[in-house]
Amino acid sequence: MRDDMIKMAGYGEEKLSTVFIHGKVVCHDDHNFELGSRPIPGASVGVFCGSSGKARRSWARNTTDEDGDFLIDLPSHLHAIPNLEKTCLVKVLHLPRNTICEHAFRGKHRGLELTSTDEGIRTYTTHTIYLTPKVSRRYRKEVVEKQQETLSVI
């Protein structure tokens, strides 16, 4: 049993385990039906593991591809963390300029869900992280006016 735990944690002379965390970051604009949900390429996404107290937190990060997908290969010193899905959180760290979601609220952390374990590889997902752009009062007013115009035509 102990040998299995050591093997699962990735300790030993050779790398015995790999832990991947994947997900997708999209910008979802409820106010602009033409936009809908669009992937955000170039977003920086981080995985933070550890307690929220004074203890040092460990982390890893990567950038989303052109489809908004990210894949983070967790460093081996984090593989042995018990209950990884409860101890680690994913956060969008930075969004590229000139995207409609550039100023979206990014502070909410996402938990992990274990999706597979096979041959020393564990894969976790955050599923899709939806960001909503901050909408100005002026823009909201324009949207409401357009919706009212559309309804009056119907």
Side-chain angles (χ1 to χ4, degrees):
M1 174 76 170
R2 182 175 187 279
D3 290 339
D4 290 338
M5 292 297 288
I6 289 171
K7 184 176 179 182
M8 186 176 151
Y11 294 119
E13 294 177 14
E14 60 187 65
K15 184 175 179 182
L16 298 174
S17 71
T18 301
V19 176
F20 290 120
I21 297 172
H22 70 91
K24 184 177 191 93
V25 180
V26 300
C27 182
H28 181 74
D29 189 354
D30 291 332
H31 304 290
N32 185 343
F33 301 108
E34 295 171 7
L35 176 65
S37 292
R38 297 229 174 133
I40 303 177
S44 179
V45 181
V47 178
F48 296 88
C49 300
S51 67
S52 59
K54 292 183 180 181
R56 186 172 175 193
R57 294 179 69 151
S58 297
W59 62 280
R61 73 179 199 180
N62 204 348
T63 304
T64 57
D65 63 14
E66 64 275 355
D67 297 320
D69 295 314
F70 65 89
L71 180 68
I72 299 173
D73 186 355
L74 220 55
S76 58
H77 69 279
L78 300 177
H79 294 192
I81 294 175
N83 300 315
L84 192 72
E85 62 275 8
K86 295 178 183 173
T87 308
C88 297
L89 299 169
V90 173
K91 181 178 180 182
V92 177
L93 302 172
H94 177 48
L95 295 169
R97 292 183 181 266
N98 301 322
T99 65
I100 191 166
C101 275
E102 177 183 359
H103 299 291
F105 175 70
R106 303 182 304 273
K108 187 176 180 182
H109 292 74
R110 293 292 300 260
L112 302 174
E113 178 183 327
L114 180 64
T115 55
S116 69
T117 4
D118 188 36
E119 301 288 321
I121 299 173
R122 288 182 289 160
T123 306
Y124 294 85
T125 185
T126 62
H127 299 289
T128 301
I129 298 172
Y130 293 94
L131 300 178
T132 303
K134 289 184 180 177
V135 180
S136 68
R137 287 183 183 174
R138 180 177 155 199
Y139 181 73
R140 280 189 196 139
K141 185 178 176 184
E142 289 174 14
V143 168
V144 169
E145 288 172 359
K146 285 181 184 178
Q147 288 174 344
Q148 288 174 346
E149 288 174 12
T150 304
L151 291 175
S152 66
V153 173
I154 298 174

